[in-house]
Amino acid sequence: MTIKYVSTTALAKELEIQVKELFHTLLEKDYIEKDNDSWSLKESGKENGGIVKSHPRYGSYIAWPENLKVIITNEE
């Protein structure tokens, strides 16, 4: 089975919440941290499926397995 990864922005859209709210939730869960002006993936984020992807135009970004939305919505 192929895992589909989506950006944090795309995941927020699927969850129908503000991107800022999702970043706050991921920060509270200790999945990410703010590093200067960008976000970094923490070990616990990696353990929950987060990866860093690179886009030729937009640079590096954190991507999440599409099923992370189940974890986020069930643990609130």
Side-chain angles (χ1 to χ4, degrees):
M1 182 176 154
T2 304
I3 298 172
K4 180 181 173 189
Y5 286 89
V6 295
S7 68
T8 307
T9 302
L11 184 60
K13 194 173 199 173
E14 288 181 21
L15 292 168
E16 298 179 354
I17 62 173
Q18 295 292 318
V19 175
K20 191 174 183 176
E21 184 181 341
L22 181 55
F23 272 105
H24 181 74
T25 300
L26 295 168
L27 185 63
E28 280 185 333
K29 289 183 173 295
D30 204 36
Y31 289 3
I32 59 173
E33 65 184 345
K34 188 84 166 188
D35 188 21
N36 294 321
D37 288 335
S38 61
W39 293 98
S40 298
L41 184 62
K42 295 185 77 174
E43 193 60 39
S44 56
K46 292 177 187 176
E47 291 169 3
N48 282 283
I51 61 171
V52 176
K53 293 186 91 175
S54 184
H55 186 279
R57 185 172 178 187
Y58 302 111
S60 295
Y61 65 96
I62 299 171
W64 304 98
E66 196 173 39
N67 67 350
L68 184 71
K69 60 187 172 189
V70 173
I71 295 167
I72 296 294
T73 56
N74 287 340
E75 289 186 4
E76 289 182 6

